[in-house]
Amino acid sequence: MTHAERLAPLIDDPDWQLVAAARTRDEAAIRELVQRMNPRLFRIARGILPTDAEAEEAVQEAYLAAFTRLDSFRGDARFSTWITRITINAARMQARRPRPEKDHATVTDDLASTAEVLAFPGAETAEASAGRHEARTLLEEALSTLPADLRLPFLLHDAEGQPLLAIARDLGLNPITVRTRLFRARRRLRAALEARLRGSFGTVFPFDGARCARMADRVVLALRGKPGG
């Protein structure tokens, strides 16, 4: 049996070769694993913690814990599952720490960019980019109003696409509890979004200003060639 075969996991894991290389502190493999895991782990930590900066710190601690004890990873679960559990524990420990008085800094641009959920093919106009950013900001602000016990299951299920049973296993909860929390999270999120959008519907599809004046001009011009009523 080769060295690689001895390190192969007991279950199918798309990351196992990178993990095997990371055991030898191969920096390229570690960088690739971090880049693969960043979006998921940051969302998970942010589901528990109230600020981007605290979530970033928890994810970094999770990486350090995972990569310094890779020998304890036996391959009986996927690496992504294993490091997800480490991240949840790191974020929960972070949440229990006393917080300084001053606000935390926002997350770096690199991590913020990994939080993108939607991808638009082809070139994107400045207006579309700004609109997408505003929509994401609105959603993130609404999500931040949810308590952590509702926010985390919502992010795991609706942002990461994890099934209920997997979420229940990772969080140590009954599947019925997870389902209930998802329902409550969606209901409160909808209420938060509606509160922020109240009064906005009167502004959709605006037709005023120069557009309104041009329409009046066209109608008047068209009427000039018609017999009077």
Side-chain angles (χ1 to χ4, degrees), residues 71-176:
D71 287 343
S72 67
F73 175 59
R74 301 304 179 190
D76 52 353
R78 287 192 174 194
F79 176 76
S80 59
T81 300
W82 183 69
I83 199 169
T84 290
R85 293 169 182 167
I86 293 175
T87 303
I88 290 171
N89 289 334
R92 285 174 171 170
M93 289 178 62
Q94 175 85 345
R96 289 194 289 266
R97 295 175 191 163
R99 289 186 174 80
E101 291 298 323
K102 68 176 184 177
D103 293 337
H104 288 78
T106 56
V107 73
T108 62
D109 290 341
D110 287 342
L111 265 178
S113 66
T114 66
E116 297 284 354
V117 178
L118 301 176
F120 290 80
E124 184 177 50
T125 66
E127 291 82 0
S129 178
R132 185 156 60 96
H133 176 74
E134 289 177 5
R136 191 190 73 192
T137 299
L138 183 68
L139 181 57
E140 287 177 349
E141 289 175 351
L143 280 168
S144 294
T145 67
L146 298 180
D149 63 336
L150 301 184
R151 186 170 62 240
L152 180 57
F154 178 85
L155 287 172
L156 288 172
H157 188 270
D158 286 51
E160 290 299 321
Q162 287 190 241
L164 288 176
L165 290 179
I167 297 171
R169 179 197 62 217
D170 289 345
L171 300 184
L173 297 172
N174 186 297
I176 296 176

Side-chain angles (χ1 to χ4, degrees), residues 142 146 183-195:
L146 298 180
F183 173 78
R184 291 172 57 202
R186 289 168 180 157
R187 184 176 60 187
R188 292 180 61 164
L189 183 61
R190 182 171 62 247
L193 288 170
E194 287 175 350

